[in-house]
Amino acid sequence: MELSPADVLKIANLAKLHIEEDDIPDYVTNLSKILEFVEQLNGAPIENIKPMAHPLDVMQRTRADNAVAVTTTKATQANAPEVENGLYLVPQVIE
Amino acid sequence: MEWETVIGLEVHVQLQTQSKIFSNAPIAYGAEANTQANIIDLAMPGVLPVLNAKVIDMAIMLALATNSQIDQQSIFARKNYFYPDLPKGYQISQYENPIVHNGYLDITLDDGQQKRINITRAHLEEDAGKSLHGNFQGKTGIDLNRAGTPLLEVVSEPELRSAAEAVAYLKTLHELVCYLDICDGNMQEGSFRCDANVSIRPRGQEALGTRTETKNVNSFRFVEKAINYEVARQISLLENGEQIIQETRLYDPDNNQTRSMRSKEEANDYRYFPDPDLLPVSISDEQIAEIQKQMPELPAARRQRLQSELGLSDYDANVITASRKLADYFEKVVELSHAETKLVANWVMGDFSAALNKENFNITQCPVSAELFAGLLRRIHDNTISNSIGKKVFSAMWQTHKSADMIIEEQGLKQVTDSAAIEKIIDEILEDNPEQLAQFRAGKDKLFGFFVGKVMQASKGKANPQQVNNLLKQKLFTDSH
């Protein structure tokens, strides 16, 4: 599958990645190659195979609905660049 | 041109669990910021989600209550988007194989007719945190307490044809999840919130028009207003030869209008894929059978039974079954008091509900237990006290939590049924009001009520009103001439 420069820009935007204009041709080539490689899977004969949601053929374990008090708030907030009144501060989201 | 409104609703039902859907952090509304978000909710490197078993049970309950199919091999998917209140950069949700699908809900329209609304699917997902755009040196504050709160998103088919139908559907679903006790139903706190997909088309046309999605409307009244606004806006656009843009809109209750939320629709490319951190969920027949056994009686069935077994009117049954706890209370009082159901219904819907409303209590905070209340109604039923003295006893009971018998005894409220005693009072009243008596005898029949009032007043409400009526009639109509 051949990607267009517009596809690359869209993917970059969705991934919130900044890319340089000059690098776009390289991305087009490399990403297209990756897709081409993965596309081989489309040739696999799967008519009689049931789809799997996960490569491990086991089922999800669950836990009982018991709450445990959170004791890590101080530590995690120490990691944040900025905290005020217990809130993590981030660049303004809306104008 | 005649337009037809087409509405589909997506309702986020917050599941009432102790802990989050994929972590054991507690869930409590209004806690101090970020004190209920643990390292899993914060998406610290290396953590893995572990599914809360309770949310599966709750989803099964909703499936059983809406005649839905249950996908016994359900999978979780990642819905990818970037927002600061979504620490992982994706929301764990369900895309293919949602746990609940193909069900329906029967709603009752304003004219009393029933309409069946199909439920496309209901899937489990985690809630995001909250962004606070206040005054933080021009920054946005993030509270992740809500991150990871379990939600069941219930999606209807676009089969609702008016704002009123949408509200009827929402109320029915709201009542149902409260009955099932899987949601606290608190709309102000966001425990039950709704996105409305609205479009219009010329009546008779099959193809759907372009729809808009109005987000997060948190009251029944606002849903109605938001939809009506949106329908009017779309009609006016089309009739002026303009186009409707498929977009997400936000309802602004202060100005009663919807406005565009984001215009960059390509941001809505969520690139769902199965979450490799979570295995498929398997639900056994035994598990479903076990939940089936625990299912409470559903509101529609209960309404029916209260009418057929207890003889309540359609209206009374509706009011009393509006909440499961109120209906439980009512039935307990009926059982304990042995009074007529109509008497119990009138009291529960009247003074009892009024007192709750006045204090802004819900029924679990009510100071008058079903046992106490039944004791009061027993005494009205057996004529120990009249209905109006009952009100006095009730308010004393509300304050003191004492039994009706104790209050009646202490305050000397026992009804006077001794004819001689009542007659004595009547004689006194007639003697004290010669003018009115003369007028009455001259033909002013209306004054009968005046005498009844005086006698009841003189007895401090304790005389049996029926007896007062009868005795007074005898006196006034037979004694005189």
Side-chain angles (χ1 to χ4, degrees):
Chain A
M1 182 179 166
E2 184 71 17
L3 289 178
S4 69
D7 291 330
V8 169
L9 281 171
K10 186 185 170 188
I11 294 164
N13 181 39
L14 286 171
K16 295 283 180 281
L17 291 174
H18 171 78
I19 55 174
E20 298 297 337
E21 191 77 32
D22 292 348
D23 294 335
I24 293 177
D26 276 353
Y27 283 119
V28 166
T29 316
N30 291 335
L31 285 174
S32 297
K33 274 188 188 159
I34 292 171
L35 287 176
E36 212 172 286
F37 172 72
V38 176
E39 237 172 10
Q40 294 177 62
L41 284 172
N42 288 343
I46 54 163
E47 283 74 29
N48 298 313
I49 298 174
K50 253 173 74 180
M52 293 175 87
H54 200 278
L56 301 179
D57 196 13
V58 281
M59 290 297 154
Q60 180 66 38
R61 295 273 300 266
T62 55
R63 64 178 173 82
D65 178 32
N66 297 320
V68 176
V70 177
T71 54
T72 47
T73 308
K74 250 194 181 141
T76 48
Q77 299 218 320
N79 265 332
E82 245 183 305
V83 173
E84 192 180 308
N85 294 330
L87 298 166
Y88 296 99
L89 295 191
V90 299
Q92 195 163 34
V93 182
I94 53 169
E95 298 303 303
Chain B
M1 184 176 315
E2 209 191 332
W3 297 98
E4 184 180 42
T5 304
V6 178
I7 304 160
L9 295 178
E10 296 169 12
V11 181
H12 286 92
V13 177
Q14 184 179 315
L15 298 176
Q16 210 173 5
T17 54
Q18 298 298 313
S19 64
K20 293 186 174 171
I21 181 168
F22 298 116
S23 88
N24 61 11
I27 294 172
Y29 182 82
E32 231 174 283
N34 290 306
T35 55
Q36 311 225 329
N38 71 15
I39 54 172
I40 295 176
D41 307 318
L42 262 61
M44 297 305 270
V47 298
L48 283 173
V50 187
L51 182 62
N52 184 341
K54 189 87 177 276
V55 303
I56 303 289
D57 291 348
M58 289 175 160
I60 295 172
M61 288 183 100
L62 182 89
L64 294 174
T66 55
N67 306 287
S68 298
Q69 287 169 32
I70 296 166
D71 210 316
Q72 290 182 255
Q73 291 255 333
S74 189
I75 58 176
F76 285 99
R78 292 185 179 179
K79 177 179 178 178
N80 299 278
Y81 67 93
F82 285 106
Y83 210 73
D85 58 24
L86 188 75
K88 291 192 293 294
Y90 59 85
Q91 176 193 29
I92 306 178
S93 179
Q94 298 196 288
Y95 190 63
E96 296 163 296
N97 305 75
I99 187 158
V100 176
H101 54 93
N102 295 79
Y104 62 82
L105 209 54
D106 287 331
I107 64 171
T108 305
L109 306 180
D110 288 343
D111 61 4
Q113 280 205 316
Q114 294 251 316
K115 181 171 178 180
R116 177 159 295 178
I117 305 300
N118 287 293
I119 291 171
T120 318
R121 57 187 277 148
H123 61 256
L124 288 166
E125 62 183 26
E126 57 178 347
D127 207 344
K130 256 186 197 152
S131 302
L132 295 133
H133 311 287
N135 219 346
F136 306 102
Q137 313 134 43
K139 300 203 167 175
T140 295
I142 304 291
D143 177 7
L144 295 171
N145 281 351
R146 204 179 60 183
T149 300
L151 302 175
L152 191 58
E153 182 176 334
V154 184
V155 182
S156 85
E157 288 289 311
E159 294 172 343
L160 298 156
R161 290 291 172 267
S162 68
E165 282 187 17
V167 171
Y169 168 84
L170 277 179
K171 285 188 171 166
T172 308
L173 182 61
H174 184 262
E175 182 184 66
L176 191 63
V177 294
C178 292
Y179 257 71
L180 295 173
D181 216 12
I182 61 176
C183 175
D184 69 14
N186 191 326
M187 295 178 81
Q188 260 145 22
E189 291 177 5
S191 303
F192 185 92
R193 50 192 203 260
C194 153
D195 302 343
N197 290 305
V198 178
S199 66
I200 57 167
R201 63 183 171 191
R203 192 170 293 283
Q205 177 184 304
E206 184 101 17
L208 293 170
T210 305
R211 67 182 162 85
T212 61
E213 181 179 8
T214 302
K215 280 256 181 219
N216 277 342
V217 201
N218 70 350
S219 85
F220 295 127
R221 203 163 53 90
F222 289 163
V223 169
E224 183 153 22
K225 286 183 149 188
I227 291 173
N228 281 333
Y229 175 87
E230 193 49 27
V231 169
R233 187 186 71 90
Q234 293 187 9
I235 289 175
S236 136
L237 278 177
L238 291 185
E239 292 192 339
N240 286 311
E242 289 174 70
Q243 297 261 311
I244 291 159
I245 303 163
Q246 182 169 342
E247 61 180 354
T248 305
R249 299 178 71 84
L250 206 61
Y251 179 65
D252 168 8
D254 295 333
N255 299 307
N256 185 31
Q257 59 180 28
T258 65
R259 49 191 161 75
S260 182
M261 208 163 116
R262 35 175 121 100
S263 50
K264 281 190 293 178
E265 272 310 295
E266 85 182 323
N268 268 340
D269 187 345
Y270 293 127
R271 295 149 292 146
Y272 283 94
F273 64 88
D275 190 330
D277 285 347
L278 287 155
L279 295 159
V281 177
S282 167
I283 297 166
S284 66
D285 292 337
E286 291 74 35
Q287 190 178 359
I288 296 171
E290 191 51 45
I291 305 274
Q292 180 81 65
K293 272 193 263 170
Q294 300 166 17
M295 289 287 280
E297 185 180 25
L298 299 179
R302 191 166 204 175
R303 257 193 290 281
Q304 202 68 53
R305 183 173 59 79
L306 289 190
Q307 289 180 54
S308 61
E309 278 180 22
L310 298 182
L312 285 190
S313 69
D314 183 39
Y315 175 81
D316 291 357
N318 264 311
V319 174
I320 284 169
T321 55
S323 109
R324 179 175 162 189
K325 294 208 169 78
L326 184 66
D328 288 347
Y329 187 91
F330 168 78
E331 289 205 61
K332 196 157 178 201
V333 175
V334 168
E335 190 195 318
L336 294 171
S337 68
H338 307 288
E340 301 93 10
T341 49
K342 182 65 191 161
L343 176 73
V344 181
N346 285 346
W347 269 88
V348 167
M349 297 189 302
D351 289 69
F352 179 78
S353 294
L356 283 180
N357 287 342
K358 196 175 151 211
E359 306 264 0
N360 211 1
F361 279 170
N362 68 41
I363 194 152
T364 51
Q365 300 164 296
C366 176
V368 174
S369 68
E371 286 78 9
L372 280 181
F373 200 36
L376 165 62
L377 296 185
R378 255 200 314 271
R379 291 299 160 258
I380 296 173
H381 177 69
D382 68 14
N383 275 324
T384 305
I385 53 171
S386 66
N387 211 53
S388 59
I389 290 290
K391 289 172 192 285
K392 218 169 163 177
V393 176
F394 177 72
S395 75
M397 191 177 259
W398 189 275
Q399 302 299 333
T400 63
H401 314 174
K402 285 182 185 167
S403 76
D405 287 341
M406 255 167 100
I407 294 165
I408 292 167
E409 181 65 38
E410 278 175 13
Q411 303 195 13
L413 296 173
K414 203 164 175 187
Q415 181 155 265
V416 178
T417 50
D418 173 0
S419 297
I422 297 176
E423 262 182 275
K424 196 168 157 256
I425 299 174
I426 292 178
D427 287 341
E428 281 168 20
I429 295 294
L430 295 183
E431 215 178 294
D432 290 351
N433 297 281
E435 212 169 292
Q436 282 82 355
L437 185 60
Q439 285 176 5
F440 180 83
R441 296 218 154 118
K444 202 168 172 192
D445 289 352
K446 273 191 202 155
L447 282 170
F448 187 76
F450 164 81
F451 290 116
V452 173
K454 281 282 178 195
V455 173
M456 290 306 293
Q457 206 180 353
S459 78
K460 302 202 175 68
K462 289 188 286 182
N464 177 314
Q466 195 52 49
Q467 245 176 324
V468 170
N469 258 297
N470 291 339
L471 288 171
L472 199 55
K473 263 183 207 154
Q474 279 174 25
K475 289 263 176 214
L476 290 174
F477 293 111
T478 53
D479 277 14
S480 54
H481 314 291

